[in-house]
Amino acid sequence: MKNLVITVAAVFAMCGPAKAQMVRAQDPSSIVRSLQGAGYKAELTKDKDGDPLIKSSSSGRNFVIFFYGCKKNIDCRTIQFVAGYEDAKAPTLSAINDWNANKLFARSYVSSSGRSRLAMDLDLDDGGLGTKLFEDNLEFWVLQMAEFEKYVAN
């Protein structure tokens, strides 16, 4: 009986603690899986430079996820959520400044074409984020998009 207890303890010790699935910019498919696991569509493609790009949407509003800090189109470091608002009148510079002064993470700007953009960066370097924390950031992004849509509509 003593040998059985020692054997079972040894097996558990070798297994170690269970690791949570990490979401990493170095592994774009981990981001796709997390988006899909949270109920969002996610299409992995490439941007004009060949870096990964994910297309998704929430409540009918499209957004993309750009990858930055990539080495030869792989081994990326950070991502950026971006939503464009071609169908809305661009806010004034004062309104953009007001949004940016009162929001912690998502920032707004006017593109060279004169349309509103909303962006939020997420650093996934040095190991990435656990799935739950990534999904929390995703929920925050979706909330910021909804708030910005109301903001630019007024």
Side-chain angles (χ1 to χ4, degrees):
M1 181 67 165
K2 185 177 178 183
N3 287 341
L4 178 61
V5 171
I6 292 171
T7 302
V8 170
V11 168
F12 281 114
M14 286 188 287
C15 291
K19 288 187 176 182
Q21 180 182 359
M22 300 303 286
V23 177
R24 301 171 49 241
Q26 296 90 341
D27 180 11
S29 63
S30 69
I31 298 170
V32 168
R33 283 190 305 273
S34 189
L35 284 162
Q36 291 172 339
Y40 296 90
K41 73 173 189 165
E43 177 190 349
L44 180 59
T45 184
K46 294 181 185 238
D47 69 11
K48 63 180 174 57
D49 297 320
D51 289 335
L53 174 79
I54 296 174
K55 297 178 181 180
S56 189
S57 66
S58 173
S59 300
R61 173 63 63 191
N62 293 330
F63 66 91
V64 295
I65 301 175
F66 290 105
F67 287 70
Y68 289 96
C70 305
K71 296 176 185 165
K72 297 183 181 180
N73 308 115
I74 57 171
D75 196 24
C76 306
R77 300 291 168 211
T78 60
I79 62 172
Q80 182 182 67
F81 295 87
V82 177
Y85 296 86
E86 281 76 22
D87 53 338
K89 180 182 172 194
T92 65
L93 180 58
S94 176
I96 293 286
N97 286 340
D98 182 59
W99 171 272
N100 290 334
N102 291 299
K103 299 296 179 183
L104 289 177
F105 301 103
R107 68 188 178 287
S108 176
Y109 61 95
V110 176
S111 71
S112 59
S113 65
R115 296 299 180 197
S116 303
R117 299 282 183 264
L118 188 67
M120 185 176 89
D121 300 329
L122 194 55
D123 182 12
L124 298 178
D125 201 7
D126 297 327
L129 294 175
T131 302
K132 292 294 183 192
L133 185 54
F134 179 82
E135 288 175 0
D136 184 54
N137 278 276
L138 176 60
E139 289 172 14
F140 186 75
W141 165 248
V142 168
L143 175 66
Q144 292 298 287
M145 283 190 347
E147 288 181 9
F148 189 71
E149 285 185 32
K150 290 178 189 170
Y151 186 78
V152 295
N154 294 331

